[in-house]
Amino acid sequence: TARKKLHTAPVGQVFRLRPFHVLVATGGGYAGYRKYEDYKLEQLEKRGIEVPAKLAREWEVALYKSVPTRLLSRAWGRLNQVELPTWLRKPVYSLYIWTFGVNMKEAAVEDLHHYRNLSEFFRRKLKPQARPVCCLHSVISPSDGKILNFGQVKNCEVEQVKGVTYSLESFLGPRVSAEELHFSQAPPGNSFQQQLVTKEGNELYHCVIYLAPGDYHCFHSPTDWRVSHRRHFPGSLMSVNPGVARWIKELFCHNERVVLTGDWKHGFFSLTAVGATNVGSIRIYFDQDLHTNSPCYSKGSYNDFSFISNNNKEGIPMRKGEHLGEFNLGSTIVLIFEAPKDFKFHLKAGQKIRFGEALGSL
């Protein structure tokens, strides 16, 4: 009887494809194809062959965005919080350690049975002596990771990787008022970049650090500064690995991010935590009102929060090396700051760096 009903039912009812399923299947398949292309690119780079950047077209970016990465990231976050049976913890974590090359000898707790779920393992703390903070240089690396790019900001454009840029204003959003940032008004300038430079003779610099899944996932203060303002951009959660960063122009402007702005002894200073696939959770320790990867948001929107108040006119003071926040899994840190013209980076593009090591100094 059941077989007869199957044969007599309209074909459209048996093989019904909904638009959502088509988008997920198509977008997921294309994302897999891009992963394969990224792998081939990495192999060429290892052999010393430089491949020119091939930027994605608008329809390719739209197709990638059709993948429900925000929903998948929330699901991944809930899965990470499921408590694992004691007997299962060591096999699961050992597989992750082997896959991503995690050095557990640096962990404050090396016993894998101690971590009740994947989330605790991802956010593991390090031994105090594992990351000594450099005292000789004014700016240190806020995290472990890979240096994607660094240098002066030119023509209001910032390089996310070599040859691929994004708009400084699109990334940071409209300039926060000098009164809210609590430092002197910048000299009048025509461009957005000139408006951020508060002292004559200074330049604007940037540095991009990519955190891989096997890296230490907390980030720290890169220098002594005061955080005056937080701006949260809800957005996509596309992958930010170097291959995708070479492919999608203004990738960091598409993705969800948290911009912290303030000042240090040389003027304007900002640190931006950029979200990525499976990294919908960005936590800032002193900001309890921040909630990232919410189910609903308005495209192109952002929300501001000022740490300057009548009771706290200095903002949030941060010491070099002090704990600042954390990711869940891995992502990207972007530093954009003002410094005198004789500021020099002590870096090479593509190098691995660890939290506490020198980025640059005067």
Side-chain angles (χ1 to χ4, degrees):
T1 306
R3 188 177 302 170
K4 183 178 180 181
K5 288 182 179 178
L6 177 63
H7 283 293
T8 56
V11 177
Q13 292 182 10
V14 178
F15 302 103
R16 180 179 296 173
L17 290 176
R18 297 180 179 178
F20 177 75
H21 298 155
V22 174
L23 285 174
V24 171
T26 307
Y30 193 76
Y33 166 75
R34 289 305 315 174
K35 286 287 185 181
Y36 173 68
E37 291 291 313
D38 296 341
Y39 170 76
K40 291 198 300 182
L41 181 63
E42 289 176 5
Q43 297 304 309
L44 291 173
E45 288 179 343
K46 287 180 180 178
R47 290 158 54 186
I49 302 174
E50 186 172 343
V51 181
K54 183 180 179 181
L55 296 179
R57 286 164 286 190
E58 289 187 13
W59 69 267
E60 291 178 303
V61 177
L63 185 58
Y64 192 177
K65 283 186 172 183
S66 70
V67 181
T69 50
R70 294 178 64 85
L71 177 62
L72 292 173
S73 296
R74 285 194 296 273
W76 176 253
R78 291 178 182 176
L79 179 64
N80 287 352
Q81 294 172 6
V82 174
E83 185 169 342
L84 297 175
T86 305
W87 61 269
L88 189 59
R89 294 175 188 176
K90 189 171 182 179
V92 171
Y93 301 148
S94 296
L95 177 62
Y96 187 91
I97 291 168
W98 176 79
T99 303
F100 297 108
V102 179
N103 184 3
M104 284 303 293
K105 292 183 179 180
E106 298 178 332
V109 180
E110 296 184 41
D111 182 12
L112 298 179
H113 296 101
H114 169 80
Y115 301 99
R116 295 173 297 176
N117 52 48
L118 283 165
S119 182
E120 286 188 1
F121 179 72
F122 292 148
R123 295 180 287 106
R124 63 192 176 277
K125 298 297 185 288
L126 299 180
K127 294 174 182 176
Q129 67 273 20
R131 296 290 187 275
V133 175
C134 178
C135 300
L136 300 177
H137 298 275
S138 54
V139 184
I140 62 168
S141 176
S143 67
D144 290 7
K146 178 181 180 180
I147 301 295
L148 294 189
N149 216 301
F150 63 92
Q152 284 190 19
V153 178
K154 298 179 180 179
N155 302 320
C156 296
E157 292 282 325
V158 186
E159 281 195 319
Q160 57 191 26
V161 293
K162 185 177 180 180
V164 181
T165 63
Y166 56 92
S167 164
L168 179 65
E169 186 170 6
S170 297
F171 182 69
L172 296 177
R175 185 176 180 273
V176 181
S177 66
E179 292 77 12
E180 197 167 355
L181 287 178
H182 199 59
F183 58 81
S184 60
Q185 180 68 44
N190 297 324
S191 69
F192 182 80
Q193 177 179 336
Q194 291 172 328
Q195 293 173 24
L196 294 179
V197 178
T198 62
K199 297 180 180 179
E200 188 175 353
N202 281 1
E203 298 287 347
L204 206 61
Y205 297 86
H206 75 98
C207 182
V208 183
I209 306 171
Y210 167 68
L211 288 74
D215 287 327
Y216 168 56
H217 298 117
C218 296
F219 51 93
H220 301 246
S221 176
T223 192
D224 296 334
W225 65 307
R226 294 179 300 173
V227 184
S228 304
H229 187 270
R230 179 259 290 162
R231 176 169 286 160
H232 171 216
F233 291 86
S236 302
L237 289 174
M238 295 184 284
S239 172
V240 293
N241 73 54
V244 178
R246 286 172 60 93
W247 180 54
I248 298 181
K249 183 179 174 63
E250 299 204 332
L251 171 64
F252 299 155
C253 298
H254 290 294
N255 273 17
E256 181 149 359
R257 59 198 182 278
V258 176
V259 182
L260 300 178
T261 53
D263 66 297
W264 69 318
K265 60 183 178 181
H266 299 297
F268 174 80
F269 198 96
S270 73
L271 180 148
T272 302
V274 183
T277 308
N278 296 335
V279 197
S281 175
I282 302 172
R283 182 183 175 194
I284 305 297
Y285 293 136
F286 57 76
D287 189 355
Q288 301 301 317
D289 295 323
L290 175 65
H291 300 285
T292 57
N293 196 12
S294 300
C296 299
Y297 73 98
S298 300
K299 184 178 179 180
S301 65
Y302 62 86
N303 55 77
D304 289 344
F305 185 85
S306 175
F307 298 108
I308 301 294
S309 64
N310 293 331
N311 297 327
N312 179 24
K313 295 183 179 180
E314 296 299 318
I316 308 294
M318 298 297 301
R319 303 294 296 175
K320 184 168 65 174
E322 186 177 351
H323 278 84
L324 182 55
E326 63 187 35
F327 292 112
N328 193 359
L329 191 63
S331 192
T332 299
I333 295 287
V334 180
L335 301 179
I336 298 175
F337 57 94
E338 173 186 359
K341 291 182 178 180
D342 56 350
F343 181 88
K344 293 183 179 180
F345 285 100
H346 305 288
L347 302 171
K348 292 181 180 179
Q351 78 171 72
K352 291 288 292 183
I353 197 167
R354 305 201 303 176
F355 155 61
E357 295 179 347
L359 280 187
S361 62
L362 296 169

